[in-house]
Amino acid sequence: MTPQKQKQSLETSSLLQDLLKQQNDLTAVERFSKSKEAGALPDQAKYYQDLIPLSTPDKGEQYGFEVDLDACTGCKACVSACHNLNGLDEKETWRSVGHLTGGSEKNPKIFTVTTACHHCLDPACLSGCPTQAYFKDPKTGIVKHLDDQCFGCKYCTLTCPYEVPQYNPSLGIVRKCDMCQDRLNLGEAPSCVQACPNQAIEIKIVKQKEVMENAESKSFLPLAPDPQKTYPTTNYKTKSPFPKNLLPQDYYSIKKSHSHLPLVFMLVLTQLSIGVFTIKWISNFLLQNSLSEKYSLLFTALTFFLGQLAMAASLFHLGRPYYAFRAVIGLRTSWLSREIVAMAIFSFLTFSYAFCFCLNQWTSFFIPKSVFNHLETLTVICGLAALGTSVMVYRATKRDSWNTSLTIWKFYLSAFVTGSSFFLLLLDFFSFYNSEIFFNLMQTRKFLLLAILSGILLKLSIESSILSHLKNRHLNPLKRSALLLIGELKNVFKARICCGLVGGIGIPGILFLMEDSIRIFILLLGSVSFVLILAGELLERYLFFTSEGSDKMPGGFS
Amino acid sequence: MGILKKFFHQESGPLTRELLLDPGKFGLGMVPAKSSPDGTTTMVCGYCSVGCGLRIHLKNNEAVNLSPDTDYPVNLGFACPKGWEALTPLKAADRATTPYLRAPDKQLKPIDWNTALNIFTQRFKAIQEKYGTESVAFLSTGQIVMEEMAFLGALAKFGLGMVHGDGNTRQCMATAVVAYKQSFGFDAPPYTYKDFEDSDVIILVGSNLCIAHPILWERICKNPNHPEIIVVDPRMTETAMAATQHYSLLPKSDLTFFYGIARILIEKGWVDHSYIENHTNGFNEFSKHLESFLPERVSKETGISKDKLYQMAETIHKGQKVSFWWTMGVNQSHEGVRLAQSLINLALMTGNMGRPGTGANSITGQCNAMGSRLYSNTTNLLGCHDFLNALDREKVAQILGLDVSRIPQVNSWAYDQIIEGIGAGKIKGLWVIATNTSHSWIHQSFVNECLKELDFLVVQDMYYTTETAQAADLLLPAAGWGEKEGCFINSERRIGRVKKVAKAPGQALSDFNIFRLIAEHWGCGELFKEWISPEHVFQILKRISKGTPADISGIKDYARIDEAGGIQWPYPEGFETREKERRLFEDGRYYTNDYRAKFIFSDPQPMSETPSQEYPFLLLTGRGSSSQWHTQTRTKKSEVLKKLYPQQIYMEMNPEDGQSQGIKPNSWVYVESRRGKIKAKAYLTPTIQPGQIFIPMHYHTTNRLTNPSFDPYSRQPSYKACAVNVRRIEHWEGGEEE
């Protein structure tokens, strides 16, 4: 390096240091920083003063959003303004925007539909919440979420037909639009109202009676979820009539829904646990054979353990599992609370049952056989009722693919086939060690094999029956489910059918035909069959959640 | 009891406090308590040319949030989603925080600034020594502040000896520049946004204002005159839908269309003879030229019925204050200059100039395209001077204290010629600043081949992930909007402030500071000893502008701009006004030698590629949504914006065509032109006419299809016309784009 170059290099080096330092000095802005008098009316007030009500609602009235579809031109500022002015997390949005398109070649139409919480008259988020973390303000009708009360079960994201409650994984809770209640209280407009350049969003006082009347004629918004479900109060208005062929832009975009894996395991395991207990009871009852006490204890302990496993799985579904005890608070309205309580009772009864055995076995107490019988029957009844509450949890969401009859069949048959298969496996396992434990083993085995065969056959046909909706001309929720099963989810669906066919029909068939075979071989086949059946049921439940395709608010093209 | 109750039913607590709002200070209204400001400052948004004022919420001088400024004369308290989210992309994980050099193993490896500057200097100097100084060129941008643009242009041409440099502004407004220069004698968009509110007839040509410039649509909504809003666009856009009249003419039949309208105006005597007489030249030749544009012919060639042609002419005639506005539908055309001039001609012949609510008005694209027009030192010598004019060179040299020999005496090549030059081996080194050539330039595969041919490619950008940065040999990490000082000029000629309200990550430096270092390292620091801060350069630019139509010598300093809410040029020394909205040509005097505007016209030319049997569809490209910006280097960094547009590339097609091609809604298709093939999702919609398809420009494969044809006067690429075919994909092949 020449001296001159060296000098130059040194100079740039010190310049570089200066510039790097200067780059992060933010004091220059002080020269231009403004601070107006505190307490002044917000600057934007001049625009929004006419967009919020001057008075509070009377009896039979509440606040509601009003969206002028003609004024909205689709800039979507409302979404990001809501995000910024409410300080939401990076990925969190409480407002969303979709499009409805239709009309003729000569006169095509696009409506941009901005949507947030509809502050429903009968909010399904509220009635479904197991912790009473929702509150509908009797004065304003605003449906508010109590963030600190929520334990993140996400059930409201299933009960709300409008995808309003948004789960925030980092906080482990759900949050949602509260119509900027704190702003409204001070006479300030909600952030979306403030931010709309065309003043397309307003807060209006709506008459609850009118909301219900309008819901009767389903005039809420074309192809949106049925307003009868919750009585949404948002009013979408337009001067131009909706074209008859209006469709959401994402109408043909059929995408799988959330899989809720902990729930998949929780449901299948509780059903297995209840199923196996019930099957034992039935076989006792029908075939007059009973397990020896020792095996009975082992058996009940296993059932109890399965129940606990299911409970543990459900904890994974909670964003804040340490508040799980709050689940019982919603008993009055929430089927989820009831399900949790029913499962707990079932679990408690299996535990008591096992406990009584222990008492008899190892202490001087003696509990008479009739008590066992009654306890067993009670446990079975509770278990079956608990299964019923599971059905109701999904029925309460009013989603078509989770309709009552389909769900009843799915859940009870799951219990039936997994229970039968597991019971059979246990029998084979026990008798492998002691062939004399049964009064009539062969009969029981045949009975169970037939139960598995018929159960799976029935279940597979019910599950496949949804494919008949492919013939629907209208793309309704069930057709969407069917399309998912042969489209995005086809491999899972195939795997599910295979598991059922091999594990529930193939292997049980073989076992049924070859009565006198080597026991170890039977045991092996029985295990494979059970694993396949269980896997099949887990896949079925995965599809239960992912192929759910109910109506929603219009989205954008995707 | 209370504790127990709280245990079971907790109505407030830390999670509730997360969303607590603080009462409004500074007139802001309520704001999130966690980002409650201790002061605010207003600066211009860094996306489009509308130039909205955003109020930055400051805490210890650092931005914590923003909201649109109610008092700023442009946006009056509103912003589009990009503006609301403007701070988010600064925090992206893929910011370049240190210089990078391509190592022998082809990977980009971090290096320190001194090494980077050494390599920059050595490599470019070596290339210049071997192939001549003009073998190194630069591509500038409409996205940096004008003080940086001026520094870049001056440094490259006067300091580093480059001859050829152009900007990405070539892609958006070169056509308007040439049209104005030829017709008015200076590149002078005459309007102020208030004109949207004053018009009674608003004619939008090739402009989807609702999506591309939502805040300007807001200004139309504030118009109390219940204006007729006419949209001329092949597509039924959101704007067309909100308009009162829509003319969905055949693509690229627009020049014929407006000549047809002009002819009807003359035929009916609906022209302003006194305005023509007093303020224009060439009207007689123009009327003669129009003779053959009979309504029958025009109707046939444009697909617009004769009745509708007359309806449009009558609407113009009946309007007292008619304004003509255009955007990329006009500028990005193989005959864009003449097309823009056909609109200028309509405004001139009907006397719709210089009064409130009138004008022939180009709405620009980028936040500082207008700054680039004046100060990028690419097409024009600094301050709209002429490289070919010895007096201009002398003047600029004197103001800058330069030896005049340092100023090139030839014009720079345009963007396409620079790319061609690389292909031909004449350009060996290229310096790309704040633009994404690899993605955005027309006929993408060709430009990417060319970039590979370069001996040395330097990219200066905020992100190391842009397509062009990924092709760089040397990457210089730049601070972005909000991390530096300077000015933008918006579409209505308003100079607005950009301020440093966020710290740049790592060792990223403002473009200005990078230029200072390069000047120093190259050995020409002496030439730029006065160029120590953007505000110093602003003072230099004031001197350069003196006496030109865009004179800004009367603007005292940054503080004055800030206090005024932006200042429109011209603002010569001694001029004093408190008026916030000013328009040009109120006195009917134009910038030509005889102060008269010119009617300029020529015969419509066929587009260079028309649909054929093999490629039966015409592809139009354009903006997809208000939440996407150009090549998405910034907008895709915001999770909020990402929710507002389709994540996958899609193609709009008429349902009739869908049916005839066997394409189902939402299915994947191949779109193929003579230059490339891409995959896209089919969106069947009647808003596009049969025979045409539309693909947004924001997806990185779109420009594999486009056809490199250019307006002969402005060299602006014609992005909106190329022939393609569309085939359905037989088997589902997953969600990838390619």
Side-chain angles (χ1 to χ4, degrees):
Chain A
M1 226 185 248
T2 63
Q4 196 198 349
K5 273 217 162 159
Q6 243 168 21
K7 183 171 160 257
Q8 187 195 332
S9 177
L10 274 176
E11 270 170 13
T12 31
S13 190
S14 77
L15 178 64
L16 174 64
Q17 292 317 318
D18 281 354
L19 294 183
L20 282 171
K21 209 169 127 211
Q22 183 199 327
Q23 187 66 51
N24 283 330
D25 174 17
L26 298 180
T27 48
V29 77
E30 274 171 18
R31 244 176 93 199
F32 306 104
S33 175
K34 272 185 246 173
S35 44
K36 285 193 194 168
E37 295 271 302
L41 205 61
D43 297 347
Q44 289 290 94
K46 61 179 176 186
Y47 297 117
Y48 63 64
Q49 265 168 348
D50 302 337
L51 306 177
I52 52 176
L54 291 170
S55 55
T56 47
D58 281 339
K59 205 169 178 305
E61 293 179 336
Q62 72 161 76
Y63 288 146
F65 284 112
E66 181 170 275
V67 176
D68 182 349
L69 295 173
D70 303 331
C72 173
T73 46
C75 81
K76 308 181 187 179
C78 48
V79 179
S80 36
C82 167
H83 173 88
N84 275 17
L85 291 182
N86 286 315
L88 305 189
D89 278 4
E90 195 190 346
K91 296 186 180 182
E92 194 177 14
T93 48
W94 286 352
R95 197 164 257 292
S96 64
V97 172
H99 304 274
L100 291 166
T101 55
S104 62
E105 211 69 67
K106 285 260 143 46
N107 192 18
K109 278 271 168 206
I110 306 176
F111 292 97
T112 304
V113 181
T114 172
T115 171
C117 176
H118 300 304
H119 300 280
C120 303
L121 300 190
D122 180 15
C125 53
L126 185 149
S127 50
C129 179
T131 66
Q132 290 187 347
Y134 283 94
F135 169 73
K136 186 167 174 72
D137 189 318
K139 208 170 162 116
T140 60
I142 291 174
V143 178
K144 182 152 173 74
H145 182 256
L146 306 174
D147 293 349
D148 281 287
Q149 177 60 10
C150 175
F151 67 178
C153 72
K154 293 170 261 186
Y155 186 46
C156 51
T157 66
L158 299 178
T159 54
C160 173
Y162 304 101
E163 301 177 291
V164 167
Q166 295 288 310
Y167 183 65
N168 183 321
S170 60
L171 298 173
I173 58 164
V174 149
R175 304 203 286 193
K176 71 176 267 297
C177 156
D178 65 351
M179 209 185 255
C180 291
Q181 186 180 270
D182 294 343
R183 288 195 169 89
L184 276 174
N185 283 343
L186 292 183
E188 196 184 319
S191 47
C192 52
V193 176
Q194 290 194 27
C196 177
N198 304 334
Q199 283 84 44
I201 310 175
E202 291 185 47
I203 305 297
K204 282 276 162 76
I205 291 178
V206 297
K207 291 199 163 40
Q208 293 170 346
K209 190 162 156 277
E210 270 173 31
V211 172
M212 288 195 264
E213 281 167 7
N214 295 345
E216 190 65 33
S217 66
K218 307 202 175 191
S219 55
F220 178 58
L221 189 77
L223 286 149
D226 185 350
Q228 292 277 3
K229 290 181 177 175
T230 60
Y231 296 132
T233 63
T234 304
N235 178 27
Y236 290 101
K237 66 172 188 186
T238 167
K239 284 198 189 106
S240 58
F242 288 124
K244 288 180 177 151
N245 59 353
L246 203 63
L247 289 179
Q249 248 181 23
D250 59 345
Y251 189 67
Y252 292 104
S253 156
I254 301 169
K255 290 200 177 120
K256 67 173 189 200
S257 306
H258 197 288
S259 61
H260 297 286
L261 278 182
L263 294 184
V264 168
F265 280 94
M266 178 273 207
L267 284 171
V268 173
L269 289 177
T270 51
Q271 284 154 21
L272 167 61
S273 159
I274 294 167
V276 73
F277 202 90
T278 309
I279 292 296
K280 179 192 160 237
W281 179 80
I282 292 176
S283 74
N284 268 355
F285 190 75
L286 287 181
L287 305 168
Q288 296 298 319
N289 72 23
S290 64
L291 287 166
S292 76
E293 293 210 340
K294 191 169 125 203
Y295 288 109
S296 221
L297 172 61
L298 204 59
F299 179 85
T300 316
L302 256 174
T303 313
F304 174 72
F305 173 71
L306 282 172
Q308 296 311 301
L309 209 62
M311 296 276 200
S314 71
L315 285 183
F316 280 99
H317 198 245
L318 296 184
R320 302 203 297 160
Y322 33 91
Y323 285 109
F325 62 90
R326 284 183 182 167
V328 297
I329 297 172
L331 209 54
R332 217 161 44 82
T333 59
S334 167
W335 278 105
L336 188 60
S337 285
R338 293 170 193 163
E339 185 197 34
I340 291 164
V341 170
M343 291 298 171
I345 293 175
F346 172 76
S347 194
F348 174 74
L349 288 175
T350 53
F351 177 77
S352 314
Y353 192 72
F355 187 69
C356 292
F357 266 115
C358 296
L359 287 181
N360 272 2
Q361 198 83 8
W362 291 302
T363 70
S364 54
F365 281 103
F366 177 74
I367 292 157
K369 178 106 173 119
S370 62
V371 172
F372 277 101
N373 285 346
H374 286 131
L375 192 56
E376 193 176 19
T377 311
L378 187 65
T379 312
V380 168
I381 291 171
C382 273
L384 293 178
L387 279 185
T389 58
S390 290
V391 173
M392 291 308 291
V393 164
Y394 296 94
R395 178 199 146 91
T397 64
K398 298 180 185 171
R399 295 183 180 223
D400 290 359
S401 13
W402 296 346
N403 65 45
T404 324
S405 59
L406 262 178
T407 313
I408 285 183
W409 280 114
K410 282 185 177 170
F411 286 12
Y412 281 92
L413 278 175
S414 261
F416 185 66
V417 295
T418 53
S420 305
S421 171
F422 192 49
F423 188 52
L424 176 68
L425 181 64
L426 289 176
L427 284 189
D428 285 341
F429 188 73
F430 296 156
S431 55
F432 183 73
Y433 291 103
N434 180 359
S435 57
E436 303 306 316
I437 56 166
F438 295 106
F439 175 64
N440 51 11
L441 175 67
M442 277 310 146
Q443 236 180 314
T444 311
R445 293 194 71 245
K446 282 206 167 164
F447 161 75
L448 289 171
L449 285 168
L450 274 178
I452 295 169
L453 273 165
S454 53
I456 285 280
L457 210 57
L458 184 59
K459 188 151 194 285
L460 289 181
S461 40
I462 286 166
E463 286 168 32
S464 311
S465 72
I466 197 152
L467 296 181
S468 69
H469 293 279
L470 287 171
K471 291 200 301 267
N472 290 357
R473 290 189 179 167
H474 175 51
L475 185 56
N476 63 0
L478 288 170
K479 184 171 182 179
R480 275 198 285 270
S481 292
L483 283 168
L484 277 167
L485 291 181
I486 61 160
E488 198 181 352
L489 296 166
K490 74 173 175 214
N491 289 334
V492 185
F493 186 53
K494 276 186 202 161
R496 188 277 165 279
I497 299 284
C498 286
C499 284
L501 287 178
V502 178
I505 294 174
I507 302 179
I510 295 169
L511 289 172
F512 192 81
L513 293 175
M514 37 185 289
E515 290 170 11
D516 290 313
S517 189
I518 317 159
R519 287 239 181 91
I520 181 81
F521 186 62
I522 289 182
L523 195 58
L524 210 67
L525 276 184
S527 317
V528 173
S529 162
F530 170 69
V531 169
L532 285 176
I533 287 175
L534 189 66
E537 293 311 301
L538 287 168
L539 291 173
E540 178 264 298
R541 211 48 49 87
Y542 173 85
L543 293 171
F544 175 82
F545 286 107
T546 50
S547 72
E548 196 284 315
S550 55
D551 293 330
K552 56 185 200 62
M553 289 300 281
F557 182 78
S558 65
Chain B
M1 194 59 207
I3 291 174
L4 193 68
K5 187 169 177 264
K6 200 174 156 189
F7 201 52
F8 278 99
H9 205 253
Q10 194 179 353
E11 285 182 11
S12 63
L15 290 173
T16 309
R17 283 196 290 277
E18 278 279 311
L19 294 180
L20 201 69
L21 298 177
D22 250 7
K25 278 184 285 185
F26 320 124
L28 288 176
M30 293 186 101
V31 291
K34 59 186 172 191
S35 55
S36 187
D38 55 23
T40 72
T41 192
T42 295
M43 62 191 250
V44 178
C45 177
Y47 284 106
C48 85
S49 66
V50 174
C52 295
L54 302 176
R55 252 181 114 179
I56 309 294
H57 306 187
L58 298 167
K59 205 183 215 167
N60 302 324
N61 295 329
E62 195 160 359
V64 286
N65 202 350
L66 64 78
S67 54
D69 189 342
T70 315
D71 298 329
Y72 202 72
V74 168
N75 50 318
L76 313 172
F78 299 94
C80 80
K82 296 188 295 290
W84 278 99
E85 276 294 288
L87 292 167
T88 310
L90 299 179
K91 290 173 274 186
D94 59 344
R95 286 293 299 272
T97 53
T98 170
Y100 285 87
L101 181 69
R102 191 160 307 278
D105 66 357
K106 301 284 173 208
Q107 297 299 309
L108 283 175
K109 295 271 162 66
I111 52 170
D112 64 57
W113 265 112
N114 266 324
T115 317
L117 292 165
N118 272 333
I119 290 170
F120 181 98
T121 315
Q122 283 164 8
R123 292 299 303 271
F124 276 159
K125 278 190 172 172
I127 291 171
Q128 285 184 328
E129 250 162 54
K130 193 163 167 197
Y131 302 101
T133 53
E134 72 280 6
S135 64
V136 177
F138 67 100
L139 290 175
S140 175
T141 176
Q143 298 287 151
I144 58 179
V145 295
M146 68 185 201
E147 295 83 351
E148 292 176 339
M149 281 172 181
F151 202 164
L152 171 62
L155 172 66
K157 290 195 170 177
F158 311 149
L160 275 47
M162 297 187 198
V163 174
H164 303 301
D166 201 12
N168 63 4
T169 42
R170 183 69 60 186
Q171 292 158 277
C172 66
M173 48 30 82
T175 287
V177 173
V178 177
Y180 281 137
K181 264 192 194 169
Q182 291 180 347
S183 295
F184 296 161
F186 193 78
D187 171 20
Y191 62 99
T192 183
Y193 293 150
K194 184 86 173 23
D195 290 321
F196 279 119
E197 296 173 15
D198 293 338
S199 289
D200 54 12
V201 177
I202 296 169
I203 299 174
L204 297 162
V205 185
S207 166
N208 188 4
L209 213 60
C210 291
I211 294 303
H213 305 98
I215 297 308
L216 296 184
W217 181 260
E218 169 210 332
R219 297 298 295 262
I220 292 184
C221 291
K222 291 203 165 29
N223 185 318
N225 309 322
H226 303 287
E228 280 290 333
I229 303 169
I230 296 177
V231 167
V232 182
D233 196 314
R235 290 194 301 144
M236 175 60 104
T237 59
E238 288 80 352
T239 315
M241 216 153 294
T244 56
Q245 297 177 31
H246 175 215
Y247 296 82
S248 67
L249 76 189
L250 291 168
K252 303 288 165 254
S253 68
D254 28 22
L255 191 53
T256 307
F257 179 81
F258 291 111
Y259 286 160
I261 298 293
R263 194 190 177 284
I264 294 174
L265 289 171
I266 293 172
E267 171 200 310
K268 292 277 189 183
W270 292 338
V271 292
D272 184 340
H273 287 292
S274 105
Y275 197 88
I276 295 169
E277 188 76 15
N278 293 324
H279 303 297
T280 71
N281 274 330
F283 181 68
N284 289 339
E285 293 82 347
F286 182 49
S287 353
K288 208 154 179 250
H289 169 77
L290 293 177
E291 273 168 13
S292 66
F293 291 87
L294 294 164
E296 291 74 20
R297 171 189 164 191
V298 173
S299 171
K300 194 164 148 256
E301 290 178 18
T302 62
I304 301 293
S305 72
K306 261 169 59 179
D307 286 351
K308 283 206 81 174
L309 293 174
Y310 278 98
Q311 187 197 348
M312 172 135 171
E314 197 178 347
T315 311
I316 296 174
H317 167 60
K318 283 191 172 159
Q320 301 301 308
K321 293 169 282 183
V322 185
S323 53
F324 300 83
W325 308 82
W326 76 85
T327 313
M328 294 315 142
V330 169
N331 284 352
Q332 293 177 339
S333 163
H334 67 290
E335 50 189 358
V337 171
R338 289 295 175 263
L339 181 55
Q341 285 163 337
S342 74
L343 295 169
I344 293 173
N345 294 347
L346 285 176
L348 291 172
M349 69 196 277
T350 54
N352 278 301
M353 286 296 297
R355 291 178 290 118
T358 65
N361 308 329
S362 138
I363 305 165
T364 292
Q366 301 179 77
C367 52
N368 201 19
M370 290 281 288
S372 153
R373 284 150 91 146
L374 289 173
Y375 296 114
S376 67
N377 204 31
T378 52
T379 309
N380 305 313
L381 177 57
L382 279 179
C384 259
H385 293 90
D386 187 354
F387 282 107
L388 305 182
N389 184 326
L391 287 176
D392 279 1
R393 290 197 301 272
E394 203 58 62
K395 173 184 166 191
V396 171
Q398 204 200 347
I399 293 171
L400 298 183
L402 281 179
D403 183 350
V404 72
S405 68
R406 285 195 168 265
I407 300 182
Q409 301 183 17
V410 291
N411 274 331
S412 167
W413 282 346
Y415 203 135
D416 65 305
Q417 293 160 327
I418 292 175
I419 301 294
E420 293 276 344
I422 301 170
K426 291 176 183 158
I427 302 284
K428 291 290 189 182
L430 186 69
W431 182 17
V432 179
I433 299 95
T435 188
N436 193 4
T437 308
S438 266
H439 177 319
S440 66
W441 191 249
I442 202 160
H443 189 190
Q444 199 183 82
S445 53
F446 176 71
V447 73
N448 283 330
E449 280 308 310
C450 287
L451 292 183
K452 279 186 209 149
E453 293 294 307
L454 286 166
D455 283 3
F456 198 55
L457 171 63
V458 181
V459 174
Q460 188 166 318
D461 205 287
M462 289 168 70
Y463 304 102
Y464 64 81
T465 49
T466 75
E467 285 82 358
T468 316
Q470 284 298 305
D473 296 306
L474 177 68
L475 175 69
L476 303 178
W481 169 92
E483 295 166 347
K484 57 188 183 179
E485 299 283 324
C487 294
F488 288 159
I489 308 181
N490 79 351
S491 272
E492 50 163 5
R493 311 179 316 281
R494 183 180 306 278
I495 300 167
R497 289 277 285 112
V498 173
K499 299 171 189 173
K500 187 155 71 168
V501 292
K503 289 176 182 165
Q507 301 220 317
L509 287 172
S510 69
D511 295 286
F512 193 92
N513 286 342
I514 297 176
F515 300 142
R516 278 190 76 185
L517 285 169
I518 287 171
E520 220 38 64
H521 228 83
W522 192 277
C524 58
E526 196 57 24
L527 289 179
F528 299 99
K529 60 177 185 293
E530 207 193 325
W531 301 53
I532 51 174
S533 76
E535 194 160 11
H536 281 85
V537 172
F538 181 78
Q539 296 299 336
I540 299 173
L541 298 182
K542 274 170 62 180
R543 300 204 298 269
I544 288 178
S545 76
K546 206 165 184 177
T548 70
D551 192 334
I552 52 169
S553 55
I555 304 173
K556 185 164 167 267
D557 54 13
Y558 278 180
R560 177 74 193 101
I561 297 174
D562 206 52
E563 168 201 300
I567 298 175
Q568 287 170 294
W569 66 255
Y571 204 99
E573 211 168 353
F575 183 75
E576 263 308 322
T577 182
R578 290 278 148 183
E579 247 182 295
K580 287 195 165 184
E581 304 244 35
R582 291 182 294 130
R583 66 187 60 76
L584 301 178
F585 311 129
E586 285 180 323
D587 54 1
R589 284 161 73 89
Y590 293 86
Y591 298 121
T592 49
N593 290 336
D594 57 4
Y595 305 113
R596 285 164 171 272
K598 279 188 209 135
F599 283 94
I600 303 177
F601 50 87
S602 52
D603 275 326
Q605 301 297 316
M607 54 183 139
S608 62
E609 192 176 71
T610 48
S612 61
Q613 204 164 11
E614 207 183 340
Y615 299 98
F617 294 97
L618 191 75
L619 166 67
L620 318 176
T621 68
R623 188 169 301 279
S625 74
S626 59
S627 344
Q628 288 165 293
W629 179 249
H630 291 181
T631 70
Q632 294 248 68
T633 52
R634 280 181 292 165
T635 44
K636 76 178 169 199
K637 308 292 155 60
S638 156
E639 293 292 337
V640 175
L641 297 181
K642 271 168 83 176
K643 292 186 180 184
L644 303 181
Y645 57 82
Q647 291 305 298
Q648 296 145 327
I649 186 169
Y650 64 98
M651 165 213 73
E652 293 181 9
M653 178 181 243
N654 190 280
E656 224 172 76
D657 288 334
Q659 201 163 27
S660 71
Q661 302 291 306
I663 291 165
K664 291 211 179 96
N666 281 59
S667 62
W668 286 95
V669 294
Y670 287 126
V671 185
E672 193 172 13
S673 77
R674 289 184 177 86
R675 293 153 295 279
K677 182 170 92 171
I678 66 168
K679 255 179 89 170
K681 237 181 177 193
Y683 169 40
L684 303 184
T685 168
T687 53
I688 183 132
Q689 294 183 51
Q692 302 164 21
I693 67 165
F694 173 79
I695 302 181
M697 63 177 167
H698 316 289
Y699 302 95
H700 79 270
T701 53
T702 309
N703 277 318
R704 289 187 195 169
L705 303 171
T706 47
N707 178 33
S709 101
F710 303 90
D711 179 282
Y713 310 101
S714 71
R715 308 297 317 157
Q716 180 155 352
S718 175
Y719 279 101
K720 297 176 188 305
C722 81
V724 294
N725 73 30
V726 182
R727 285 182 295 115
R728 123 184 114 142
I729 297 177
E730 297 296 338
H731 302 289
W732 176 266
E733 292 166 31
E736 79 273 11
E737 314 191 326
E738 301 178 17

